[in-house]
Amino acid sequence: VYSASGKLITLIGWYNDDRKYITLPTPYFSKKVDWFNLDHALKLSFEKFNGLIYVVEGIFDTYSLRSIGLPAIGTMGADISMSKGELLKIFNKQVAIPDNDKTGKKAIRSNNAWHLPYNGTYLELRGKVRFDENNEYRIKDVDNLISWFDVDSVRNMLLQVGQSRDKYE
């Protein structure tokens, strides 16, 4: 994880157990203040997208959006503190895409739990995908959208949401 100025502030590793992520404790990092991928997203957002940012929960969701050329930051959890919410104000437009689970639904429905500024839009993921007659999967997160559907279609849909003035999509 890097600061907005590009300084390394901590290392996070993924481990396949209940914890999932292991974070190296450092005096320079706090999940209550820092965003994953902020340094890269700031540059891309203002150079190519007029200050548009996509806000997602996980590191892998962030990388999925980054892989299709979109500026994204990750909360590194399901909650966004007021401090993190204040940092969102530097962007001209925010699209928040919480996971399609109980915590993500709460973020959307509980009176702006993610502290989006006035010009932010929540995108709610819903639905299931059937790959064959025996397997049906719930769309859990933006990583599923990008890996299961046509990348250009997903990218175009997300860019359209980025143009929306609605609070919820």
Side-chain angles (χ1 to χ4, degrees), residues 111-142:
N111 197 17
N112 200 17
W114 276 19
H115 306 286
L116 283 187
Y118 72 93
N119 54 342
T121 298
Y122 284 98
L123 176 61
E124 182 176 1
L125 300 177
R126 288 187 250 164
K128 295 181 180 179
V129 175
R130 182 178 297 277
F131 291 110
D132 58 46
E133 58 186 64
N134 297 322
N135 296 304
E136 185 175 75
Y137 300 94
R138 180 177 53 86
I139 298 171
K140 179 192 169 287
D141 54 28
V142 75

Side-chain angles (χ1 to χ4, degrees), residues 40-56:
H40 180 270
L42 270 169
K43 183 176 180 181
L44 182 61
S45 173
F46 286 99
E47 284 182 0
K48 295 188 177 179
F49 295 95
N50 193 33
L52 170 66
I53 192 71
Y54 293 89
V55 182
V56 293

Side-chain angles (χ1 to χ4, degrees), residues 105-116 122 167-168:
K105 300 290 183 203
K106 181 181 172 190
I108 291 172
R109 294 190 173 98
S110 65
N111 197 17
N112 200 17
W114 276 19
H115 306 286
L116 283 187
Y122 284 98
K167 193 69 177 168
Y168 303 96

Side-chain angles (χ1 to χ4, degrees), residues 54-70:
Y54 293 89
V55 182
V56 293
E57 288 185 34
I59 290 171
F60 291 110
D61 295 328
T62 307
Y63 277 134
S64 290
L65 288 167
R66 186 173 165 170
S67 75
I68 64 170
L70 296 177

Side-chain angles (χ1 to χ4, degrees), residues 54-113:
Y54 293 89
V55 182
V56 293
E57 288 185 34
I59 290 171
F60 291 110
D61 295 328
T62 307
Y63 277 134
S64 290
L65 288 167
R66 186 173 165 170
S67 75
I68 64 170
L70 296 177
I73 54 177
T75 66
M76 297 179 286
D79 298 320
I80 294 180
S81 66
M82 288 194 76
S83 298
K84 276 185 167 177
E86 286 296 310
L87 284 171
L88 291 175
K89 291 179 179 178
I90 64 176
F91 296 99
N92 296 328
K93 173 68 179 185
Q94 312 81 15
V95 176
I97 313 172
D99 286 356
N100 181 18
D101 58 16
K102 184 178 179 181
T103 306
K105 300 290 183 203
K106 181 181 172 190
I108 291 172
R109 294 190 173 98
S110 65
N111 197 17
N112 200 17

